[in-house]
Amino acid sequence: MKEHFIELFEYNHHFNQKLAALIVENKTRTSEKTQKLINHLINAQQIWNARIQNTEQSDVWQINDWSKLSGIDADNYETSLKILNDYDLNASIQYTNSKGETFSNKIKDILYHIINHATYHRAQIATDLKQNGIEPINTDYIFYKRKSEL
């Protein structure tokens, strides 16, 4: 199971990096919606990692400095890999969400949520980019696998 999660986080990181670069290259043409979504996508991974590790969390909607997006994503990726190596994925953690509600979930379910959440928002970003005249990149998982298996 860990190997599969490692692959998923490699995929997630690969396209977060490409998408952040595309947005930064076109930042004068991107909408406020795209800017908010790319930051939210990156912040959310940091927050979930922090919940697992019981460390300080970002604000889910904070806007990061453009020059730091790729670095924040790289830190998130490394932290997620560390979690995969250091934690029992079947263990449950208790955490409080942004509304102050307390929940408990298995780490493996949280890690899957991180990937799924990012995929969802990358699709929203692709739609918004296209509507603003910017050709989006194909971030489909199978597309990634085809390229990596060549």
PDB file of all heavy atoms in Angstrom, residues 55-79:
ATOM      1  N   THR A  55       1.304  19.385  14.031  1.00  0.00           N
ATOM      2  CA  THR A  55       2.155  20.573  13.937  1.00  0.00           C
ATOM      3  C   THR A  55       1.312  21.758  13.480  1.00  0.00           C
ATOM      4  O   THR A  55       0.125  21.617  13.191  1.00  0.00           O
ATOM      5  CB  THR A  55       3.321  20.348  12.953  1.00  0.00           C
ATOM      6  OG1 THR A  55       2.795  20.002  11.665  1.00  0.00           O
ATOM      7  CG2 THR A  55       4.258  19.238  13.444  1.00  0.00           C
ATOM      8  N   GLU A  56       1.934  22.918  13.377  1.00  0.00           N
ATOM      9  CA  GLU A  56       1.226  24.150  13.005  1.00  0.00           C
ATOM     10  C   GLU A  56       0.703  24.080  11.576  1.00  0.00           C
ATOM     11  O   GLU A  56       1.383  23.601  10.672  1.00  0.00           O
ATOM     12  CB  GLU A  56       2.161  25.343  13.156  1.00  0.00           C
ATOM     13  CG  GLU A  56       1.445  26.664  13.043  1.00  0.00           C
ATOM     14  CD  GLU A  56       2.352  27.846  13.372  1.00  0.00           C
ATOM     15  OE1 GLU A  56       3.275  27.682  14.188  1.00  0.00           O
ATOM     16  OE2 GLU A  56       2.115  28.915  12.794  1.00  0.00           O
ATOM     17  N   GLN A  57      -0.501  24.592  11.406  1.00  0.00           N
ATOM     18  CA  GLN A  57      -1.177  24.548  10.109  1.00  0.00           C
ATOM     19  C   GLN A  57      -1.223  25.924   9.447  1.00  0.00           C
ATOM     20  O   GLN A  57      -1.320  26.940  10.119  1.00  0.00           O
ATOM     21  CB  GLN A  57      -2.619  24.064  10.284  1.00  0.00           C
ATOM     22  CG  GLN A  57      -2.745  22.698  10.883  1.00  0.00           C
ATOM     23  CD  GLN A  57      -4.194  22.338  11.160  1.00  0.00           C
ATOM     24  OE1 GLN A  57      -5.097  22.843  10.517  1.00  0.00           O
ATOM     25  NE2 GLN A  57      -4.415  21.464  12.118  1.00  0.00           N
ATOM     26  N   SER A  58      -1.203  25.900   8.112  1.00  0.00           N
ATOM     27  CA  SER A  58      -1.440  27.111   7.317  1.00  0.00           C
ATOM     28  C   SER A  58      -2.921  27.456   7.395  1.00  0.00           C
ATOM     29  O   SER A  58      -3.725  26.665   7.865  1.00  0.00           O
ATOM     30  CB  SER A  58      -1.127  26.854   5.846  1.00  0.00           C
ATOM     31  OG  SER A  58       0.186  26.457   5.668  1.00  0.00           O
ATOM     32  N   ASP A  59      -3.260  28.612   6.869  1.00  0.00           N
ATOM     33  CA  ASP A  59      -4.660  28.965   6.666  1.00  0.00           C
ATOM     34  C   ASP A  59      -5.064  28.391   5.314  1.00  0.00           C
ATOM     35  O   ASP A  59      -4.331  28.543   4.335  1.00  0.00           O
ATOM     36  CB  ASP A  59      -4.817  30.485   6.669  1.00  0.00           C
ATOM     37  CG  ASP A  59      -6.262  30.915   6.496  1.00  0.00           C
ATOM     38  OD1 ASP A  59      -6.872  30.555   5.461  1.00  0.00           O
ATOM     39  OD2 ASP A  59      -6.782  31.621   7.376  1.00  0.00           O
ATOM     40  N   VAL A  60      -6.191  27.759   5.237  1.00  0.00           N
ATOM     41  CA  VAL A  60      -6.605  27.038   4.033  1.00  0.00           C
ATOM     42  C   VAL A  60      -6.742  27.954   2.808  1.00  0.00           C
ATOM     43  O   VAL A  60      -6.531  27.521   1.686  1.00  0.00           O
ATOM     44  CB  VAL A  60      -7.881  26.206   4.292  1.00  0.00           C
ATOM     45  CG1 VAL A  60      -9.108  27.086   4.425  1.00  0.00           C
ATOM     46  CG2 VAL A  60      -8.064  25.146   3.237  1.00  0.00           C
ATOM     47  N   TRP A  61      -7.066  29.222   3.011  1.00  0.00           N
ATOM     48  CA  TRP A  61      -7.251  30.146   1.882  1.00  0.00           C
ATOM     49  C   TRP A  61      -6.177  31.217   1.802  1.00  0.00           C
ATOM     50  O   TRP A  61      -6.323  32.193   1.072  1.00  0.00           O
ATOM     51  CB  TRP A  61      -8.639  30.786   1.929  1.00  0.00           C
ATOM     52  CG  TRP A  61      -9.714  29.785   1.614  1.00  0.00           C
ATOM     53  CD1 TRP A  61     -10.591  29.227   2.501  1.00  0.00           C
ATOM     54  CD2 TRP A  61      -9.998  29.197   0.347  1.00  0.00           C
ATOM     55  NE1 TRP A  61     -11.408  28.328   1.865  1.00  0.00           N
ATOM     56  CE2 TRP A  61     -11.070  28.284   0.527  1.00  0.00           C
ATOM     57  CE3 TRP A  61      -9.459  29.324  -0.933  1.00  0.00           C
ATOM     58  CZ2 TRP A  61     -11.609  27.530  -0.511  1.00  0.00           C
ATOM     59  CZ3 TRP A  61      -9.996  28.575  -1.973  1.00  0.00           C
ATOM     60  CH2 TRP A  61     -11.061  27.691  -1.751  1.00  0.00           C
ATOM     61  N   GLN A  62      -5.068  31.050   2.543  1.00  0.00           N
ATOM     62  CA  GLN A  62      -4.016  32.066   2.459  1.00  0.00           C
ATOM     63  C   GLN A  62      -3.411  32.087   1.063  1.00  0.00           C
ATOM     64  O   GLN A  62      -3.316  31.058   0.401  1.00  0.00           O
ATOM     65  CB  GLN A  62      -2.946  31.849   3.528  1.00  0.00           C
ATOM     66  CG  GLN A  62      -1.891  30.828   3.182  1.00  0.00           C
ATOM     67  CD  GLN A  62      -0.896  30.608   4.304  1.00  0.00           C
ATOM     68  OE1 GLN A  62      -1.208  30.754   5.480  1.00  0.00           O
ATOM     69  NE2 GLN A  62       0.312  30.225   3.943  1.00  0.00           N
ATOM     70  N   ILE A  63      -3.031  33.272   0.632  1.00  0.00           N
ATOM     71  CA  ILE A  63      -2.382  33.438  -0.664  1.00  0.00           C
ATOM     72  C   ILE A  63      -0.883  33.525  -0.395  1.00  0.00           C
ATOM     73  O   ILE A  63      -0.417  34.404   0.333  1.00  0.00           O
ATOM     74  CB  ILE A  63      -2.890  34.704  -1.399  1.00  0.00           C
ATOM     75  CG1 ILE A  63      -4.407  34.632  -1.619  1.00  0.00           C
ATOM     76  CG2 ILE A  63      -2.138  34.886  -2.721  1.00  0.00           C
ATOM     77  CD1 ILE A  63      -4.893  33.465  -2.474  1.00  0.00           C
ATOM     78  N   ASN A  64      -0.142  32.597  -0.981  1.00  0.00           N
ATOM     79  CA  ASN A  64       1.300  32.524  -0.794  1.00  0.00           C
ATOM     80  C   ASN A  64       2.015  33.377  -1.836  1.00  0.00           C
ATOM     81  O   ASN A  64       1.477  33.638  -2.912  1.00  0.00           O
ATOM     82  CB  ASN A  64       1.761  31.065  -0.914  1.00  0.00           C
ATOM     83  CG  ASN A  64       1.089  30.183   0.108  1.00  0.00           C
ATOM     84  OD1 ASN A  64       1.307  30.311   1.296  1.00  0.00           O
ATOM     85  ND2 ASN A  64       0.230  29.290  -0.356  1.00  0.00           N
ATOM     86  N   ASP A  65       3.217  33.777  -1.521  1.00  0.00           N
ATOM     87  CA  ASP A  65       4.065  34.491  -2.462  1.00  0.00           C
ATOM     88  C   ASP A  65       4.288  33.592  -3.685  1.00  0.00           C
ATOM     89  O   ASP A  65       4.584  32.408  -3.551  1.00  0.00           O
ATOM     90  CB  ASP A  65       5.399  34.797  -1.774  1.00  0.00           C
ATOM     91  CG  ASP A  65       6.325  35.629  -2.621  1.00  0.00           C
ATOM     92  OD1 ASP A  65       6.603  35.229  -3.769  1.00  0.00           O
ATOM     93  OD2 ASP A  65       6.792  36.664  -2.130  1.00  0.00           O
ATOM     94  N   TRP A  66       4.119  34.164  -4.885  1.00  0.00           N
ATOM     95  CA  TRP A  66       4.256  33.380  -6.125  1.00  0.00           C
ATOM     96  C   TRP A  66       5.585  32.640  -6.191  1.00  0.00           C
ATOM     97  O   TRP A  66       5.648  31.507  -6.647  1.00  0.00           O
ATOM     98  CB  TRP A  66       4.124  34.290  -7.349  1.00  0.00           C
ATOM     99  CG  TRP A  66       2.740  34.758  -7.592  1.00  0.00           C
ATOM    100  CD1 TRP A  66       2.272  36.030  -7.450  1.00  0.00           C
ATOM    101  CD2 TRP A  66       1.615  33.977  -7.990  1.00  0.00           C
ATOM    102  NE1 TRP A  66       0.927  36.077  -7.734  1.00  0.00           N
ATOM    103  CE2 TRP A  66       0.503  34.826  -8.076  1.00  0.00           C
ATOM    104  CE3 TRP A  66       1.447  32.627  -8.280  1.00  0.00           C
ATOM    105  CZ2 TRP A  66      -0.763  34.388  -8.444  1.00  0.00           C
ATOM    106  CZ3 TRP A  66       0.185  32.181  -8.645  1.00  0.00           C
ATOM    107  CH2 TRP A  66      -0.899  33.050  -8.720  1.00  0.00           C
ATOM    108  N   SER A  67       6.637  33.291  -5.728  1.00  0.00           N
ATOM    109  CA  SER A  67       7.963  32.680  -5.824  1.00  0.00           C
ATOM    110  C   SER A  67       8.142  31.504  -4.865  1.00  0.00           C
ATOM    111  O   SER A  67       9.113  30.767  -4.975  1.00  0.00           O
ATOM    112  CB  SER A  67       9.045  33.730  -5.557  1.00  0.00           C
ATOM    113  OG  SER A  67       8.968  34.195  -4.215  1.00  0.00           O
ATOM    114  N   LYS A  68       7.196  31.318  -3.947  1.00  0.00           N
ATOM    115  CA  LYS A  68       7.317  30.251  -2.952  1.00  0.00           C
ATOM    116  C   LYS A  68       6.400  29.059  -3.208  1.00  0.00           C
ATOM    117  O   LYS A  68       6.504  28.042  -2.523  1.00  0.00           O
ATOM    118  CB  LYS A  68       7.059  30.816  -1.556  1.00  0.00           C
ATOM    119  CG  LYS A  68       8.101  31.833  -1.144  1.00  0.00           C
ATOM    120  CD  LYS A  68       7.865  32.341   0.241  1.00  0.00           C
ATOM    121  CE  LYS A  68       8.958  33.351   0.587  1.00  0.00           C
ATOM    122  NZ  LYS A  68       8.737  33.956   1.874  1.00  0.00           N
ATOM    123  N   LEU A  69       5.495  29.159  -4.182  1.00  0.00           N
ATOM    124  CA  LEU A  69       4.523  28.079  -4.415  1.00  0.00           C
ATOM    125  C   LEU A  69       5.198  26.730  -4.648  1.00  0.00           C
ATOM    126  O   LEU A  69       4.833  25.734  -4.031  1.00  0.00           O
ATOM    127  CB  LEU A  69       3.623  28.407  -5.606  1.00  0.00           C
ATOM    128  CG  LEU A  69       2.452  29.339  -5.367  1.00  0.00           C
ATOM    129  CD1 LEU A  69       1.690  29.547  -6.668  1.00  0.00           C
ATOM    130  CD2 LEU A  69       1.539  28.819  -4.286  1.00  0.00           C
ATOM    131  N   SER A  70       6.159  26.692  -5.547  1.00  0.00           N
ATOM    132  CA  SER A  70       6.833  25.418  -5.862  1.00  0.00           C
ATOM    133  C   SER A  70       7.556  24.865  -4.652  1.00  0.00           C
ATOM    134  O   SER A  70       7.554  23.656  -4.413  1.00  0.00           O
ATOM    135  CB  SER A  70       7.803  25.598  -7.025  1.00  0.00           C
ATOM    136  OG  SER A  70       7.090  25.823  -8.211  1.00  0.00           O
ATOM    137  N   GLY A  71       8.178  25.741  -3.874  1.00  0.00           N
ATOM    138  CA  GLY A  71       8.887  25.298  -2.673  1.00  0.00           C
ATOM    139  C   GLY A  71       7.956  24.758  -1.606  1.00  0.00           C
ATOM    140  O   GLY A  71       8.261  23.750  -0.953  1.00  0.00           O
ATOM    141  N   ILE A  72       6.818  25.404  -1.434  1.00  0.00           N
ATOM    142  CA  ILE A  72       5.824  24.918  -0.458  1.00  0.00           C
ATOM    143  C   ILE A  72       5.320  23.549  -0.891  1.00  0.00           C
ATOM    144  O   ILE A  72       5.205  22.634  -0.074  1.00  0.00           O
ATOM    145  CB  ILE A  72       4.667  25.929  -0.295  1.00  0.00           C
ATOM    146  CG1 ILE A  72       5.174  27.242   0.295  1.00  0.00           C
ATOM    147  CG2 ILE A  72       3.555  25.336   0.576  1.00  0.00           C
ATOM    148  CD1 ILE A  72       4.182  28.387   0.217  1.00  0.00           C
ATOM    149  N   ASP A  73       5.044  23.410  -2.190  1.00  0.00           N
ATOM    150  CA  ASP A  73       4.594  22.114  -2.695  1.00  0.00           C
ATOM    151  C   ASP A  73       5.669  21.049  -2.483  1.00  0.00           C
ATOM    152  O   ASP A  73       5.360  19.920  -2.093  1.00  0.00           O
ATOM    153  CB  ASP A  73       4.216  22.203  -4.175  1.00  0.00           C
ATOM    154  CG  ASP A  73       3.833  20.851  -4.725  1.00  0.00           C
ATOM    155  OD1 ASP A  73       2.800  20.296  -4.301  1.00  0.00           O
ATOM    156  OD2 ASP A  73       4.603  20.313  -5.557  1.00  0.00           O
ATOM    157  N   ALA A  74       6.924  21.384  -2.736  1.00  0.00           N
ATOM    158  CA  ALA A  74       8.026  20.420  -2.540  1.00  0.00           C
ATOM    159  C   ALA A  74       8.122  20.009  -1.069  1.00  0.00           C
ATOM    160  O   ALA A  74       8.311  18.823  -0.758  1.00  0.00           O
ATOM    161  CB  ALA A  74       9.344  21.014  -3.030  1.00  0.00           C
ATOM    162  N   ASP A  75       7.971  20.967  -0.157  1.00  0.00           N
ATOM    163  CA  ASP A  75       7.973  20.640   1.276  1.00  0.00           C
ATOM    164  C   ASP A  75       6.800  19.725   1.620  1.00  0.00           C
ATOM    165  O   ASP A  75       6.953  18.768   2.393  1.00  0.00           O
ATOM    166  CB  ASP A  75       7.891  21.913   2.123  1.00  0.00           C
ATOM    167  CG  ASP A  75       9.165  22.740   2.085  1.00  0.00           C
ATOM    168  OD1 ASP A  75      10.222  22.230   1.651  1.00  0.00           O
ATOM    169  OD2 ASP A  75       9.094  23.929   2.475  1.00  0.00           O
ATOM    170  N   ASN A  76       5.623  20.021   1.064  1.00  0.00           N
ATOM    171  CA  ASN A  76       4.450  19.175   1.295  1.00  0.00           C
ATOM    172  C   ASN A  76       4.706  17.747   0.838  1.00  0.00           C
ATOM    173  O   ASN A  76       4.359  16.781   1.528  1.00  0.00           O
ATOM    174  CB  ASN A  76       3.231  19.715   0.544  1.00  0.00           C
ATOM    175  CG  ASN A  76       2.653  20.964   1.147  1.00  0.00           C
ATOM    176  OD1 ASN A  76       2.930  21.320   2.289  1.00  0.00           O
ATOM    177  ND2 ASN A  76       1.843  21.661   0.373  1.00  0.00           N
ATOM    178  N   TYR A  77       5.284  17.625  -0.341  1.00  0.00           N
ATOM    179  CA  TYR A  77       5.591  16.305  -0.913  1.00  0.00           C
ATOM    180  C   TYR A  77       6.533  15.527   0.012  1.00  0.00           C
ATOM    181  O   TYR A  77       6.266  14.369   0.345  1.00  0.00           O
ATOM    182  CB  TYR A  77       6.199  16.493  -2.300  1.00  0.00           C
ATOM    183  CG  TYR A  77       6.754  15.259  -2.941  1.00  0.00           C
ATOM    184  CD1 TYR A  77       5.946  14.180  -3.257  1.00  0.00           C
ATOM    185  CD2 TYR A  77       8.105  15.185  -3.255  1.00  0.00           C
ATOM    186  CE1 TYR A  77       6.467  13.048  -3.868  1.00  0.00           C
ATOM    187  CE2 TYR A  77       8.631  14.052  -3.866  1.00  0.00           C
ATOM    188  CZ  TYR A  77       7.812  12.987  -4.165  1.00  0.00           C
ATOM    189  OH  TYR A  77       8.333  11.874  -4.771  1.00  0.00           O
ATOM    190  N   GLU A  78       7.605  16.169   0.423  1.00  0.00           N
ATOM    191  CA  GLU A  78       8.576  15.507   1.313  1.00  0.00           C
ATOM    192  C   GLU A  78       7.931  15.119   2.641  1.00  0.00           C
ATOM    193  O   GLU A  78       8.189  14.034   3.172  1.00  0.00           O
ATOM    194  CB  GLU A  78       9.798  16.407   1.552  1.00  0.00           C
ATOM    195  CG  GLU A  78      10.654  16.603   0.326  1.00  0.00           C
ATOM    196  CD  GLU A  78      11.220  15.312  -0.248  1.00  0.00           C
ATOM    197  OE1 GLU A  78      11.565  14.398   0.538  1.00  0.00           O
ATOM    198  OE2 GLU A  78      11.328  15.204  -1.484  1.00  0.00           O
ATOM    199  N   THR A  79       7.085  15.982   3.163  1.00  0.00           N
ATOM    200  CA  THR A  79       6.403  15.682   4.427  1.00  0.00           C
ATOM    201  C   THR A  79       5.445  14.509   4.260  1.00  0.00           C
ATOM    202  O   THR A  79       5.388  13.622   5.130  1.00  0.00           O
ATOM    203  CB  THR A  79       5.656  16.929   4.948  1.00  0.00           C
ATOM    204  OG1 THR A  79       6.597  17.993   5.118  1.00  0.00           O
ATOM    205  CG2 THR A  79       4.948  16.636   6.262  1.00  0.00           C
TER     206      THR A  79
END
